[in-house]
Amino acid sequence: MSEEIAAIGVLYAPFLGGMMVGCFLFGITISQAILYFRNYKDDALFLRALVASALLIDTFHFVMVVDVVHIWYLFCKLPQNYALLASFPWPLGASIIATYLITSMVQALYILRVYMLSKNLWATGFISFLSLAQFGFGLFLWEDLFVANSLTALHGTKGQVGGSVELAATTLCDISISVALWWYLHKGRTGFAKTEKMVDKLILYIVNLGLLTSAASLLTLILWLVMPSSFAFVSLTLIRSKLYCNAMLVTLNFRQTVRTALHGNTTTGQSTTRVFQDIDGVEMNSYKKSIP
């Protein structure tokens, strides 16, 4: 019996690793959120509410993950609680829902940015479909785990289908967002040195942040398919909400740099630049308006 418990403890080690990395990333999330609410007091209520909601959900996610680790690594050490090691604790289910919510919220903001920059309904619709697919199949996976009340359901047919499609849709959605932003920003190049420099900064910060979440999702998918029984993919799954929150906050906080570049751009001979609106991403379209 002791050998079986030890084997289960090693199997669940990725949960502990994910929580430890999540602690570090959560600290960054808090600092980025403080910067945002301090520097962007004039943002629309919608955007500030979105950031506040994401921060609250991510905090809830962090608390739930800590509770799961507490259950498995402390509470289940008692002999009478050994059986709980094979169960699906409700805090883990709550953390999964929180992850899907944050992923969808951040992706929605990026999708809005793509639309405002491109005005392309087909591209926006395709990316939106992928985002909805990741949320829908994520709930499909959660429901299977909840009903089975066991993590072994991950290795069943429904679990494999739900998890694979959810991760694939998330990865493809993030990649599509990054490609769309790069393409439409690249098309908007003007030939003016200062404007070109600003566009390069936008691509560096916005597209690369999208690629970061894409790479994390892709690696999670690979680990899910190649090493499903090891739970190695869990470490990345537990920090996914933190990656998305930080990507969103870094992008929002970067707007001041873009605004300064726009207002200081005299190459085009314009004395004024279009006033920034409240929804993030308008600044990427604003530099086009400053060109005669």
Side-chain angles (χ1 to χ4, degrees), residues 57-92:
I57 295 174
D58 195 40
T59 302
F60 173 77
H61 173 274
F62 179 72
V63 173
M64 291 298 99
V65 170
V66 171
D67 193 24
V68 171
V69 172
H70 166 263
I71 292 172
W72 281 337
Y73 286 89
L74 294 177
F75 185 71
C76 288
K77 279 190 173 183
L78 300 175
Q80 63 268 29
N81 298 324
Y82 284 166
L84 294 177
L85 284 170
S87 67
F88 180 65
W90 75 264
L92 180 59

PDB file of all heavy atoms in Angstrom, residues 57-92:
ATOM      1  N   ILE A  57     -10.804  36.441 -10.940  1.00  0.00           N
ATOM      2  CA  ILE A  57     -10.908  35.028 -11.319  1.00  0.00           C
ATOM      3  C   ILE A  57      -9.560  34.340 -11.188  1.00  0.00           C
ATOM      4  O   ILE A  57      -9.476  33.187 -10.735  1.00  0.00           O
ATOM      5  CB  ILE A  57     -11.441  34.897 -12.759  1.00  0.00           C
ATOM      6  CG1 ILE A  57     -12.874  35.422 -12.844  1.00  0.00           C
ATOM      7  CG2 ILE A  57     -11.409  33.439 -13.223  1.00  0.00           C
ATOM      8  CD1 ILE A  57     -13.427  35.474 -14.259  1.00  0.00           C
ATOM      9  N   ASP A  58      -8.488  35.047 -11.559  1.00  0.00           N
ATOM     10  CA  ASP A  58      -7.158  34.454 -11.440  1.00  0.00           C
ATOM     11  C   ASP A  58      -6.770  34.272  -9.982  1.00  0.00           C
ATOM     12  O   ASP A  58      -6.100  33.295  -9.626  1.00  0.00           O
ATOM     13  CB  ASP A  58      -6.137  35.337 -12.150  1.00  0.00           C
ATOM     14  CG  ASP A  58      -4.819  34.611 -12.383  1.00  0.00           C
ATOM     15  OD1 ASP A  58      -4.851  33.413 -12.726  1.00  0.00           O
ATOM     16  OD2 ASP A  58      -3.750  35.230 -12.224  1.00  0.00           O
ATOM     17  N   THR A  59      -7.183  35.200  -9.132  1.00  0.00           N
ATOM     18  CA  THR A  59      -6.938  35.037  -7.686  1.00  0.00           C
ATOM     19  C   THR A  59      -7.691  33.821  -7.157  1.00  0.00           C
ATOM     20  O   THR A  59      -7.153  33.027  -6.372  1.00  0.00           O
ATOM     21  CB  THR A  59      -7.378  36.300  -6.926  1.00  0.00           C
ATOM     22  OG1 THR A  59      -6.664  37.438  -7.430  1.00  0.00           O
ATOM     23  CG2 THR A  59      -7.104  36.154  -5.434  1.00  0.00           C
ATOM     24  N   PHE A  60      -8.939  33.691  -7.580  1.00  0.00           N
ATOM     25  CA  PHE A  60      -9.737  32.520  -7.204  1.00  0.00           C
ATOM     26  C   PHE A  60      -9.069  31.237  -7.693  1.00  0.00           C
ATOM     27  O   PHE A  60      -8.991  30.240  -6.947  1.00  0.00           O
ATOM     28  CB  PHE A  60     -11.134  32.650  -7.808  1.00  0.00           C
ATOM     29  CG  PHE A  60     -12.002  31.434  -7.624  1.00  0.00           C
ATOM     30  CD1 PHE A  60     -12.596  31.169  -6.405  1.00  0.00           C
ATOM     31  CD2 PHE A  60     -12.220  30.556  -8.674  1.00  0.00           C
ATOM     32  CE1 PHE A  60     -13.395  30.042  -6.234  1.00  0.00           C
ATOM     33  CE2 PHE A  60     -13.015  29.438  -8.522  1.00  0.00           C
ATOM     34  CZ  PHE A  60     -13.610  29.178  -7.291  1.00  0.00           C
ATOM     35  N   HIS A  61      -8.554  31.266  -8.928  1.00  0.00           N
ATOM     36  CA  HIS A  61      -7.861  30.110  -9.489  1.00  0.00           C
ATOM     37  C   HIS A  61      -6.650  29.749  -8.631  1.00  0.00           C
ATOM     38  O   HIS A  61      -6.414  28.568  -8.316  1.00  0.00           O
ATOM     39  CB  HIS A  61      -7.415  30.419 -10.919  1.00  0.00           C
ATOM     40  CG  HIS A  61      -6.544  29.369 -11.538  1.00  0.00           C
ATOM     41  ND1 HIS A  61      -5.167  29.340 -11.373  1.00  0.00           N
ATOM     42  CD2 HIS A  61      -6.840  28.297 -12.320  1.00  0.00           C
ATOM     43  CE1 HIS A  61      -4.675  28.312 -12.018  1.00  0.00           C
ATOM     44  NE2 HIS A  61      -5.658  27.665 -12.596  1.00  0.00           N
ATOM     45  N   PHE A  62      -5.889  30.735  -8.228  1.00  0.00           N
ATOM     46  CA  PHE A  62      -4.693  30.497  -7.417  1.00  0.00           C
ATOM     47  C   PHE A  62      -5.054  29.858  -6.076  1.00  0.00           C
ATOM     48  O   PHE A  62      -4.402  28.908  -5.623  1.00  0.00           O
ATOM     49  CB  PHE A  62      -3.954  31.816  -7.200  1.00  0.00           C
ATOM     50  CG  PHE A  62      -2.722  31.693  -6.351  1.00  0.00           C
ATOM     51  CD1 PHE A  62      -1.580  31.074  -6.849  1.00  0.00           C
ATOM     52  CD2 PHE A  62      -2.697  32.187  -5.057  1.00  0.00           C
ATOM     53  CE1 PHE A  62      -0.444  30.954  -6.075  1.00  0.00           C
ATOM     54  CE2 PHE A  62      -1.575  32.069  -4.278  1.00  0.00           C
ATOM     55  CZ  PHE A  62      -0.438  31.450  -4.784  1.00  0.00           C
ATOM     56  N   VAL A  63      -6.105  30.373  -5.437  1.00  0.00           N
ATOM     57  CA  VAL A  63      -6.543  29.824  -4.152  1.00  0.00           C
ATOM     58  C   VAL A  63      -6.993  28.378  -4.316  1.00  0.00           C
ATOM     59  O   VAL A  63      -6.682  27.511  -3.474  1.00  0.00           O
ATOM     60  CB  VAL A  63      -7.674  30.686  -3.564  1.00  0.00           C
ATOM     61  CG1 VAL A  63      -8.262  30.028  -2.321  1.00  0.00           C
ATOM     62  CG2 VAL A  63      -7.161  32.079  -3.220  1.00  0.00           C
ATOM     63  N   MET A  64      -7.709  28.075  -5.390  1.00  0.00           N
ATOM     64  CA  MET A  64      -8.193  26.719  -5.619  1.00  0.00           C
ATOM     65  C   MET A  64      -7.033  25.742  -5.857  1.00  0.00           C
ATOM     66  O   MET A  64      -7.044  24.613  -5.361  1.00  0.00           O
ATOM     67  CB  MET A  64      -9.138  26.688  -6.823  1.00  0.00           C
ATOM     68  CG  MET A  64     -10.471  27.398  -6.599  1.00  0.00           C
ATOM     69  SD  MET A  64     -11.482  26.655  -5.271  1.00  0.00           S
ATOM     70  CE  MET A  64     -11.094  27.773  -3.903  1.00  0.00           C
ATOM     71  N   VAL A  65      -6.022  26.180  -6.601  1.00  0.00           N
ATOM     72  CA  VAL A  65      -4.863  25.320  -6.860  1.00  0.00           C
ATOM     73  C   VAL A  65      -4.119  25.031  -5.555  1.00  0.00           C
ATOM     74  O   VAL A  65      -3.703  23.891  -5.293  1.00  0.00           O
ATOM     75  CB  VAL A  65      -3.918  25.971  -7.887  1.00  0.00           C
ATOM     76  CG1 VAL A  65      -2.596  25.198  -7.976  1.00  0.00           C
ATOM     77  CG2 VAL A  65      -4.584  26.024  -9.260  1.00  0.00           C
ATOM     78  N   VAL A  66      -3.956  26.053  -4.727  1.00  0.00           N
ATOM     79  CA  VAL A  66      -3.302  25.861  -3.427  1.00  0.00           C
ATOM     80  C   VAL A  66      -4.090  24.879  -2.577  1.00  0.00           C
ATOM     81  O   VAL A  66      -3.516  24.011  -1.896  1.00  0.00           O
ATOM     82  CB  VAL A  66      -3.148  27.210  -2.698  1.00  0.00           C
ATOM     83  CG1 VAL A  66      -2.669  26.986  -1.256  1.00  0.00           C
ATOM     84  CG2 VAL A  66      -2.161  28.101  -3.439  1.00  0.00           C
ATOM     85  N   ASP A  67      -5.407  24.978  -2.635  1.00  0.00           N
ATOM     86  CA  ASP A  67      -6.257  24.070  -1.857  1.00  0.00           C
ATOM     87  C   ASP A  67      -6.107  22.630  -2.347  1.00  0.00           C
ATOM     88  O   ASP A  67      -6.075  21.690  -1.539  1.00  0.00           O
ATOM     89  CB  ASP A  67      -7.713  24.512  -1.958  1.00  0.00           C
ATOM     90  CG  ASP A  67      -8.600  23.812  -0.940  1.00  0.00           C
ATOM     91  OD1 ASP A  67      -8.070  23.359   0.090  1.00  0.00           O
ATOM     92  OD2 ASP A  67      -9.820  23.720  -1.164  1.00  0.00           O
ATOM     93  N   VAL A  68      -6.017  22.447  -3.666  1.00  0.00           N
ATOM     94  CA  VAL A  68      -5.838  21.096  -4.218  1.00  0.00           C
ATOM     95  C   VAL A  68      -4.511  20.500  -3.735  1.00  0.00           C
ATOM     96  O   VAL A  68      -4.455  19.324  -3.328  1.00  0.00           O
ATOM     97  CB  VAL A  68      -5.875  21.126  -5.759  1.00  0.00           C
ATOM     98  CG1 VAL A  68      -5.471  19.760  -6.324  1.00  0.00           C
ATOM     99  CG2 VAL A  68      -7.258  21.492  -6.247  1.00  0.00           C
ATOM    100  N   VAL A  69      -3.455  21.293  -3.796  1.00  0.00           N
ATOM    101  CA  VAL A  69      -2.150  20.812  -3.331  1.00  0.00           C
ATOM    102  C   VAL A  69      -2.209  20.487  -1.845  1.00  0.00           C
ATOM    103  O   VAL A  69      -1.625  19.488  -1.382  1.00  0.00           O
ATOM    104  CB  VAL A  69      -1.059  21.856  -3.625  1.00  0.00           C
ATOM    105  CG1 VAL A  69       0.262  21.456  -2.978  1.00  0.00           C
ATOM    106  CG2 VAL A  69      -0.877  22.028  -5.131  1.00  0.00           C
ATOM    107  N   HIS A  70      -2.916  21.307  -1.077  1.00  0.00           N
ATOM    108  CA  HIS A  70      -3.080  21.034   0.353  1.00  0.00           C
ATOM    109  C   HIS A  70      -3.789  19.698   0.571  1.00  0.00           C
ATOM    110  O   HIS A  70      -3.404  18.894   1.425  1.00  0.00           O
ATOM    111  CB  HIS A  70      -3.868  22.161   1.009  1.00  0.00           C
ATOM    112  CG  HIS A  70      -4.371  21.837   2.380  1.00  0.00           C
ATOM    113  ND1 HIS A  70      -5.653  21.381   2.623  1.00  0.00           N
ATOM    114  CD2 HIS A  70      -3.746  21.862   3.597  1.00  0.00           C
ATOM    115  CE1 HIS A  70      -5.807  21.163   3.907  1.00  0.00           C
ATOM    116  NE2 HIS A  70      -4.679  21.437   4.528  1.00  0.00           N
ATOM    117  N   ILE A  71      -4.848  19.449  -0.217  1.00  0.00           N
ATOM    118  CA  ILE A  71      -5.607  18.204  -0.067  1.00  0.00           C
ATOM    119  C   ILE A  71      -4.733  16.999  -0.376  1.00  0.00           C
ATOM    120  O   ILE A  71      -4.699  16.027   0.394  1.00  0.00           O
ATOM    121  CB  ILE A  71      -6.850  18.213  -0.985  1.00  0.00           C
ATOM    122  CG1 ILE A  71      -7.862  19.245  -0.508  1.00  0.00           C
ATOM    123  CG2 ILE A  71      -7.488  16.826  -1.060  1.00  0.00           C
ATOM    124  CD1 ILE A  71      -9.034  19.449  -1.457  1.00  0.00           C
ATOM    125  N   TRP A  72      -4.020  17.045  -1.478  1.00  0.00           N
ATOM    126  CA  TRP A  72      -3.250  15.876  -1.906  1.00  0.00           C
ATOM    127  C   TRP A  72      -1.974  15.655  -1.106  1.00  0.00           C
ATOM    128  O   TRP A  72      -1.600  14.523  -0.839  1.00  0.00           O
ATOM    129  CB  TRP A  72      -2.915  16.006  -3.398  1.00  0.00           C
ATOM    130  CG  TRP A  72      -4.057  15.641  -4.287  1.00  0.00           C
ATOM    131  CD1 TRP A  72      -5.122  14.846  -3.991  1.00  0.00           C
ATOM    132  CD2 TRP A  72      -4.250  16.053  -5.632  1.00  0.00           C
ATOM    133  NE1 TRP A  72      -5.971  14.734  -5.052  1.00  0.00           N
ATOM    134  CE2 TRP A  72      -5.463  15.460  -6.089  1.00  0.00           C
ATOM    135  CE3 TRP A  72      -3.528  16.855  -6.520  1.00  0.00           C
ATOM    136  CZ2 TRP A  72      -5.953  15.646  -7.374  1.00  0.00           C
ATOM    137  CZ3 TRP A  72      -4.026  17.042  -7.803  1.00  0.00           C
ATOM    138  CH2 TRP A  72      -5.216  16.455  -8.223  1.00  0.00           C
ATOM    139  N   TYR A  73      -1.315  16.720  -0.718  1.00  0.00           N
ATOM    140  CA  TYR A  73       0.004  16.570  -0.102  1.00  0.00           C
ATOM    141  C   TYR A  73      -0.014  16.631   1.418  1.00  0.00           C
ATOM    142  O   TYR A  73       0.965  16.271   2.065  1.00  0.00           O
ATOM    143  CB  TYR A  73       0.960  17.630  -0.650  1.00  0.00           C
ATOM    144  CG  TYR A  73       1.409  17.330  -2.055  1.00  0.00           C
ATOM    145  CD1 TYR A  73       0.675  17.792  -3.144  1.00  0.00           C
ATOM    146  CD2 TYR A  73       2.545  16.574  -2.305  1.00  0.00           C
ATOM    147  CE1 TYR A  73       1.067  17.511  -4.442  1.00  0.00           C
ATOM    148  CE2 TYR A  73       2.942  16.290  -3.598  1.00  0.00           C
ATOM    149  CZ  TYR A  73       2.208  16.760  -4.659  1.00  0.00           C
ATOM    150  OH  TYR A  73       2.590  16.470  -5.951  1.00  0.00           O
ATOM    151  N   LEU A  74      -1.110  17.081   2.015  1.00  0.00           N
ATOM    152  CA  LEU A  74      -1.196  17.129   3.468  1.00  0.00           C
ATOM    153  C   LEU A  74      -2.381  16.311   3.987  1.00  0.00           C
ATOM    154  O   LEU A  74      -2.202  15.359   4.738  1.00  0.00           O
ATOM    155  CB  LEU A  74      -1.315  18.587   3.945  1.00  0.00           C
ATOM    156  CG  LEU A  74      -0.091  19.474   3.681  1.00  0.00           C
ATOM    157  CD1 LEU A  74      -0.364  20.907   4.134  1.00  0.00           C
ATOM    158  CD2 LEU A  74       1.143  18.931   4.381  1.00  0.00           C
ATOM    159  N   PHE A  75      -3.568  16.682   3.548  1.00  0.00           N
ATOM    160  CA  PHE A  75      -4.771  16.019   4.051  1.00  0.00           C
ATOM    161  C   PHE A  75      -4.775  14.531   3.715  1.00  0.00           C
ATOM    162  O   PHE A  75      -5.175  13.699   4.537  1.00  0.00           O
ATOM    163  CB  PHE A  75      -6.007  16.702   3.460  1.00  0.00           C
ATOM    164  CG  PHE A  75      -7.308  16.185   3.999  1.00  0.00           C
ATOM    165  CD1 PHE A  75      -7.693  16.454   5.306  1.00  0.00           C
ATOM    166  CD2 PHE A  75      -8.149  15.428   3.201  1.00  0.00           C
ATOM    167  CE1 PHE A  75      -8.892  15.970   5.797  1.00  0.00           C
ATOM    168  CE2 PHE A  75      -9.352  14.945   3.692  1.00  0.00           C
ATOM    169  CZ  PHE A  75      -9.719  15.222   4.993  1.00  0.00           C
ATOM    170  N   CYS A  76      -4.344  14.179   2.505  1.00  0.00           N
ATOM    171  CA  CYS A  76      -4.391  12.780   2.082  1.00  0.00           C
ATOM    172  C   CYS A  76      -3.244  11.943   2.645  1.00  0.00           C
ATOM    173  O   CYS A  76      -3.148  10.747   2.346  1.00  0.00           O
ATOM    174  CB  CYS A  76      -4.385  12.691   0.553  1.00  0.00           C
ATOM    175  SG  CYS A  76      -5.953  13.216  -0.186  1.00  0.00           S
ATOM    176  N   LYS A  77      -2.387  12.552   3.424  1.00  0.00           N
ATOM    177  CA  LYS A  77      -1.340  11.756   4.085  1.00  0.00           C
ATOM    178  C   LYS A  77      -1.908  10.925   5.230  1.00  0.00           C
ATOM    179  O   LYS A  77      -1.283   9.949   5.658  1.00  0.00           O
ATOM    180  CB  LYS A  77      -0.233  12.683   4.615  1.00  0.00           C
ATOM    181  CG  LYS A  77       0.770  13.104   3.556  1.00  0.00           C
ATOM    182  CD  LYS A  77       1.964  13.795   4.179  1.00  0.00           C
ATOM    183  CE  LYS A  77       3.054  14.058   3.144  1.00  0.00           C
ATOM    184  NZ  LYS A  77       4.250  14.675   3.743  1.00  0.00           N
ATOM    185  N   LEU A  78      -3.069  11.334   5.713  1.00  0.00           N
ATOM    186  CA  LEU A  78      -3.717  10.554   6.758  1.00  0.00           C
ATOM    187  C   LEU A  78      -4.250   9.262   6.156  1.00  0.00           C
ATOM    188  O   LEU A  78      -4.888   9.278   5.095  1.00  0.00           O
ATOM    189  CB  LEU A  78      -4.866  11.350   7.380  1.00  0.00           C
ATOM    190  CG  LEU A  78      -4.477  12.683   8.043  1.00  0.00           C
ATOM    191  CD1 LEU A  78      -5.721  13.415   8.512  1.00  0.00           C
ATOM    192  CD2 LEU A  78      -3.528  12.422   9.210  1.00  0.00           C
ATOM    193  N   PRO A  79      -3.996   8.128   6.789  1.00  0.00           N
ATOM    194  CA  PRO A  79      -4.419   6.827   6.218  1.00  0.00           C
ATOM    195  C   PRO A  79      -5.890   6.764   5.850  1.00  0.00           C
ATOM    196  O   PRO A  79      -6.245   6.165   4.835  1.00  0.00           O
ATOM    197  CB  PRO A  79      -4.072   5.837   7.348  1.00  0.00           C
ATOM    198  CG  PRO A  79      -2.959   6.495   8.089  1.00  0.00           C
ATOM    199  CD  PRO A  79      -3.268   7.959   8.057  1.00  0.00           C
ATOM    200  N   GLN A  80      -6.738   7.391   6.654  1.00  0.00           N
ATOM    201  CA  GLN A  80      -8.173   7.325   6.372  1.00  0.00           C
ATOM    202  C   GLN A  80      -8.573   8.141   5.144  1.00  0.00           C
ATOM    203  O   GLN A  80      -9.711   8.025   4.670  1.00  0.00           O
ATOM    204  CB  GLN A  80      -8.987   7.793   7.584  1.00  0.00           C
ATOM    205  CG  GLN A  80      -8.772   9.247   7.974  1.00  0.00           C
ATOM    206  CD  GLN A  80      -7.670   9.406   9.001  1.00  0.00           C
ATOM    207  OE1 GLN A  80      -6.737   8.610   9.053  1.00  0.00           O
ATOM    208  NE2 GLN A  80      -7.806  10.432   9.836  1.00  0.00           N
ATOM    209  N   ASN A  81      -7.644   8.938   4.638  1.00  0.00           N
ATOM    210  CA  ASN A  81      -7.954   9.786   3.481  1.00  0.00           C
ATOM    211  C   ASN A  81      -7.231   9.353   2.209  1.00  0.00           C
ATOM    212  O   ASN A  81      -7.254  10.067   1.207  1.00  0.00           O
ATOM    213  CB  ASN A  81      -7.594  11.246   3.784  1.00  0.00           C
ATOM    214  CG  ASN A  81      -8.394  11.798   4.941  1.00  0.00           C
ATOM    215  OD1 ASN A  81      -9.560  11.465   5.119  1.00  0.00           O
ATOM    216  ND2 ASN A  81      -7.766  12.651   5.728  1.00  0.00           N
ATOM    217  N   TYR A  82      -6.594   8.202   2.235  1.00  0.00           N
ATOM    218  CA  TYR A  82      -5.844   7.734   1.061  1.00  0.00           C
ATOM    219  C   TYR A  82      -6.727   7.653  -0.198  1.00  0.00           C
ATOM    220  O   TYR A  82      -6.280   7.935  -1.307  1.00  0.00           O
ATOM    221  CB  TYR A  82      -5.233   6.360   1.337  1.00  0.00           C
ATOM    222  CG  TYR A  82      -3.999   6.389   2.222  1.00  0.00           C
ATOM    223  CD1 TYR A  82      -3.506   5.214   2.791  1.00  0.00           C
ATOM    224  CD2 TYR A  82      -3.339   7.577   2.482  1.00  0.00           C
ATOM    225  CE1 TYR A  82      -2.381   5.233   3.598  1.00  0.00           C
ATOM    226  CE2 TYR A  82      -2.220   7.597   3.290  1.00  0.00           C
ATOM    227  CZ  TYR A  82      -1.742   6.427   3.854  1.00  0.00           C
ATOM    228  OH  TYR A  82      -0.624   6.441   4.654  1.00  0.00           O
ATOM    229  N   ALA A  83      -7.965   7.255   0.000  1.00  0.00           N
ATOM    230  CA  ALA A  83      -8.856   7.051  -1.151  1.00  0.00           C
ATOM    231  C   ALA A  83      -9.094   8.347  -1.931  1.00  0.00           C
ATOM    232  O   ALA A  83      -9.390   8.313  -3.133  1.00  0.00           O
ATOM    233  CB  ALA A  83     -10.184   6.478  -0.692  1.00  0.00           C
ATOM    234  N   LEU A  84      -8.951   9.500  -1.261  1.00  0.00           N
ATOM    235  CA  LEU A  84      -9.189  10.788  -1.922  1.00  0.00           C
ATOM    236  C   LEU A  84      -8.138  11.126  -2.968  1.00  0.00           C
ATOM    237  O   LEU A  84      -8.357  11.998  -3.810  1.00  0.00           O
ATOM    238  CB  LEU A  84      -9.247  11.907  -0.879  1.00  0.00           C
ATOM    239  CG  LEU A  84     -10.417  11.853   0.106  1.00  0.00           C
ATOM    240  CD1 LEU A  84     -10.307  12.974   1.131  1.00  0.00           C
ATOM    241  CD2 LEU A  84     -11.737  11.954  -0.645  1.00  0.00           C
ATOM    242  N   LEU A  85      -7.004  10.425  -2.926  1.00  0.00           N
ATOM    243  CA  LEU A  85      -5.951  10.684  -3.906  1.00  0.00           C
ATOM    244  C   LEU A  85      -6.409  10.376  -5.327  1.00  0.00           C
ATOM    245  O   LEU A  85      -5.908  10.962  -6.282  1.00  0.00           O
ATOM    246  CB  LEU A  85      -4.704   9.855  -3.573  1.00  0.00           C
ATOM    247  CG  LEU A  85      -3.841  10.362  -2.410  1.00  0.00           C
ATOM    248  CD1 LEU A  85      -2.791   9.323  -2.051  1.00  0.00           C
ATOM    249  CD2 LEU A  85      -3.196  11.688  -2.773  1.00  0.00           C
ATOM    250  N   ALA A  86      -7.335   9.442  -5.448  1.00  0.00           N
ATOM    251  CA  ALA A  86      -7.798   9.062  -6.783  1.00  0.00           C
ATOM    252  C   ALA A  86      -9.053   9.821  -7.206  1.00  0.00           C
ATOM    253  O   ALA A  86      -9.569   9.603  -8.300  1.00  0.00           O
ATOM    254  CB  ALA A  86      -8.084   7.563  -6.815  1.00  0.00           C
ATOM    255  N   SER A  87      -9.542  10.739  -6.358  1.00  0.00           N
ATOM    256  CA  SER A  87     -10.784  11.449  -6.661  1.00  0.00           C
ATOM    257  C   SER A  87     -10.499  12.730  -7.451  1.00  0.00           C
ATOM    258  O   SER A  87      -9.346  13.107  -7.685  1.00  0.00           O
ATOM    259  CB  SER A  87     -11.521  11.789  -5.362  1.00  0.00           C
ATOM    260  OG  SER A  87     -10.771  12.739  -4.610  1.00  0.00           O
ATOM    261  N   PHE A  88     -11.576  13.380  -7.837  1.00  0.00           N
ATOM    262  CA  PHE A  88     -11.486  14.656  -8.547  1.00  0.00           C
ATOM    263  C   PHE A  88     -12.005  15.736  -7.607  1.00  0.00           C
ATOM    264  O   PHE A  88     -13.201  16.010  -7.560  1.00  0.00           O
ATOM    265  CB  PHE A  88     -12.326  14.595  -9.828  1.00  0.00           C
ATOM    266  CG  PHE A  88     -12.311  15.868 -10.641  1.00  0.00           C
ATOM    267  CD1 PHE A  88     -11.146  16.325 -11.226  1.00  0.00           C
ATOM    268  CD2 PHE A  88     -13.478  16.598 -10.813  1.00  0.00           C
ATOM    269  CE1 PHE A  88     -11.137  17.492 -11.972  1.00  0.00           C
ATOM    270  CE2 PHE A  88     -13.479  17.761 -11.566  1.00  0.00           C
ATOM    271  CZ  PHE A  88     -12.301  18.211 -12.138  1.00  0.00           C
ATOM    272  N   PRO A  89     -11.133  16.366  -6.827  1.00  0.00           N
ATOM    273  CA  PRO A  89     -11.583  17.340  -5.827  1.00  0.00           C
ATOM    274  C   PRO A  89     -12.237  18.558  -6.466  1.00  0.00           C
ATOM    275  O   PRO A  89     -11.816  19.016  -7.530  1.00  0.00           O
ATOM    276  CB  PRO A  89     -10.278  17.724  -5.106  1.00  0.00           C
ATOM    277  CG  PRO A  89      -9.194  17.406  -6.070  1.00  0.00           C
ATOM    278  CD  PRO A  89      -9.670  16.221  -6.862  1.00  0.00           C
ATOM    279  N   TRP A  90     -13.260  19.084  -5.800  1.00  0.00           N
ATOM    280  CA  TRP A  90     -14.008  20.206  -6.379  1.00  0.00           C
ATOM    281  C   TRP A  90     -13.144  21.452  -6.593  1.00  0.00           C
ATOM    282  O   TRP A  90     -13.390  22.200  -7.566  1.00  0.00           O
ATOM    283  CB  TRP A  90     -15.240  20.519  -5.529  1.00  0.00           C
ATOM    284  CG  TRP A  90     -14.950  21.228  -4.230  1.00  0.00           C
ATOM    285  CD1 TRP A  90     -14.802  20.666  -3.004  1.00  0.00           C
ATOM    286  CD2 TRP A  90     -14.810  22.641  -4.048  1.00  0.00           C
ATOM    287  NE1 TRP A  90     -14.553  21.624  -2.064  1.00  0.00           N
ATOM    288  CE2 TRP A  90     -14.554  22.846  -2.677  1.00  0.00           C
ATOM    289  CE3 TRP A  90     -14.860  23.733  -4.906  1.00  0.00           C
ATOM    290  CZ2 TRP A  90     -14.356  24.115  -2.133  1.00  0.00           C
ATOM    291  CZ3 TRP A  90     -14.654  25.003  -4.376  1.00  0.00           C
ATOM    292  CH2 TRP A  90     -14.407  25.188  -3.014  1.00  0.00           C
ATOM    293  N   PRO A  91     -12.128  21.739  -5.729  1.00  0.00           N
ATOM    294  CA  PRO A  91     -11.301  22.918  -6.026  1.00  0.00           C
ATOM    295  C   PRO A  91     -10.552  22.796  -7.355  1.00  0.00           C
ATOM    296  O   PRO A  91     -10.339  23.803  -8.035  1.00  0.00           O
ATOM    297  CB  PRO A  91     -10.319  22.968  -4.844  1.00  0.00           C
ATOM    298  CG  PRO A  91     -11.015  22.249  -3.745  1.00  0.00           C
ATOM    299  CD  PRO A  91     -11.764  21.150  -4.415  1.00  0.00           C
ATOM    300  N   LEU A  92     -10.182  21.578  -7.730  1.00  0.00           N
ATOM    301  CA  LEU A  92      -9.521  21.387  -9.019  1.00  0.00           C
ATOM    302  C   LEU A  92     -10.490  21.680 -10.157  1.00  0.00           C
ATOM    303  O   LEU A  92     -10.128  22.329 -11.146  1.00  0.00           O
ATOM    304  CB  LEU A  92      -8.991  19.954  -9.131  1.00  0.00           C
ATOM    305  CG  LEU A  92      -8.275  19.606 -10.450  1.00  0.00           C
ATOM    306  CD1 LEU A  92      -7.070  20.526 -10.663  1.00  0.00           C
ATOM    307  CD2 LEU A  92      -7.830  18.141 -10.441  1.00  0.00           C
TER     308      LEU A  92
END
